Amino acid sequence: MLKKYVKLNLDDLILGPAVLLGLFLVTHVVTVVALALTHESSSVLLSGVLLPIAGGFVLGIISMCTVLLSHDLNQRFGRTRRRSLALISGQVLAELVLCLVCCWGLSALERAVFPTLWKALFRFDRIQFSDSSPVVSSHLENTLFIEELSLSWFWPLLILLGALALGIIAGTVIRRFGPKGGWTIWLCFMLSMFLGTDLVHMPHFPIVLIIGAVLLLLAFLWSIYELLHSPVHI
């Protein structure tokens, strides 16, 4: 059953990886154009940070839409709430795995290939990464300096898991409360955008983070309960 369901929703499954791959390609096209026009001797590797964040946004939206569109549809076709929730969970988890593989794989590809490609295209003599040992001053001439922005290997997984949970919560809230729930989700999203930086710099941020994680878990458990017991919306 799950195999047929995934095959039926194959277009949705490849949406996340397609967006990440497109963003990856656009980023490097812009980088090449910038190096060609400015003749700079430095560049930045962004995929380690950019792709997990973009993947989180995409996965959150996909999870929310899957709950809103698929849960009631599955039940109209005769599936139980439990079976419908299992199918939805399998679909969004498969999406998460694909996005995670893209984040890890494209970040590794970027570091392994693109500095060497830039060096060859723009005829630099050597490459110097920001995290490597300093270069002797006499060897600085015609050196391509690379700044790599990256996260620890587990952060993409945590970001995508959090985004998946938030998407399911948002979809359940909108499904349960209608437009009022949608506006509430939008308000919470805008507040997080405006206040996120201030929260990170708070002296008690770890405590705030733990409280937020607990609230997220409770909201996720409520969402699962709601999806298992709510009536079908025609």
Side-chain angles (χ1 to χ4, degrees):
M1 177 66 72
L2 181 58
K3 183 178 179 180
K4 293 181 180 178
Y5 186 80
V6 169
K7 189 175 181 180
L8 183 64
N9 293 276
L10 190 59
D11 292 344
D12 295 332
L13 285 175
I14 64 175
L15 177 61
V19 170
L20 295 183
L21 181 58
L23 180 62
F24 178 80
L25 294 176
V26 168
T27 300
H28 288 289
V29 169
V30 172
T31 300
V32 169
V33 172
L35 286 172
L37 294 178
T38 63
H39 304 289
E40 285 287 338
S41 60
S42 62
S43 187
V44 182
L45 301 180
L46 295 171
S47 295
V49 172
L50 185 62
L51 293 184
I53 294 174
F57 275 105
V58 173
L59 185 61
I61 293 172
I62 290 174
S63 301
M64 180 181 68
C65 293
T66 301
V67 169
L68 286 172
L69 300 176
S70 297
H71 191 56
D72 291 327
L73 183 63
N74 288 337
Q75 294 178 69
R76 292 192 196 107
F77 280 99
R79 299 186 178 104
T80 63
R81 295 185 183 90
R82 188 183 299 273
R83 175 59 63 85
S84 174
L85 183 58
L87 292 173
I88 290 174
S89 300
Q91 180 180 344
V92 295
L93 285 174
E95 185 78 36
L96 183 147
V97 171
L98 291 174
C99 289
L100 186 61
V101 169
C102 282
C103 289
W104 284 339
L106 292 177
S107 297
L109 177 67
E110 180 185 61
R111 182 179 175 90
V113 173
F114 282 89
T116 305
L117 178 62
W118 297 335
K119 175 189 171 185
L121 282 176
F122 301 103
R123 299 181 179 179
F124 288 100
D125 293 333
R126 61 189 63 84
I127 299 170
Q128 174 70 18
F129 285 93
S130 59
D131 58 353
S132 58
S133 57
V135 179
V136 179
S137 58
S138 60
H139 294 163
L140 289 176
E141 186 178 354
N142 207 31
T143 298
L144 175 61
F145 295 93
I146 302 293
E147 178 76 22
E148 183 177 16
L149 303 180
S150 61
L151 302 171
S152 299
W153 67 269
F154 56 85
W155 276 111
L157 175 60
L158 294 180
I159 291 171
L160 293 178
L161 282 173
L164 185 149
L166 286 172
I168 291 176
I169 293 167
T172 306
V173 169
I174 295 172
R175 183 179 178 274
R176 174 66 175 81
F177 299 104
K180 293 181 181 179
W183 284 111
T184 302
I185 295 298
W186 175 254
L187 178 62
C188 292
F189 174 76
M190 295 305 296
L191 286 175
S192 67
M193 292 294 101
F194 284 112
L195 302 178
T197 304
D198 295 333
L199 289 175
V200 170
H201 292 94
M202 287 178 59
H204 302 295
F205 175 68
I207 298 177
V208 175
L209 189 62
I210 293 173
I211 294 174
V214 172
L215 292 176
L216 178 65
L217 178 61
L218 292 176
F220 180 74
L221 292 176
W222 169 82
S223 298
I224 299 301
Y225 178 85
E226 174 69 19
L227 292 175
L228 287 174
H229 294 85
S230 61
V232 179
H233 292 180
I234 305 300

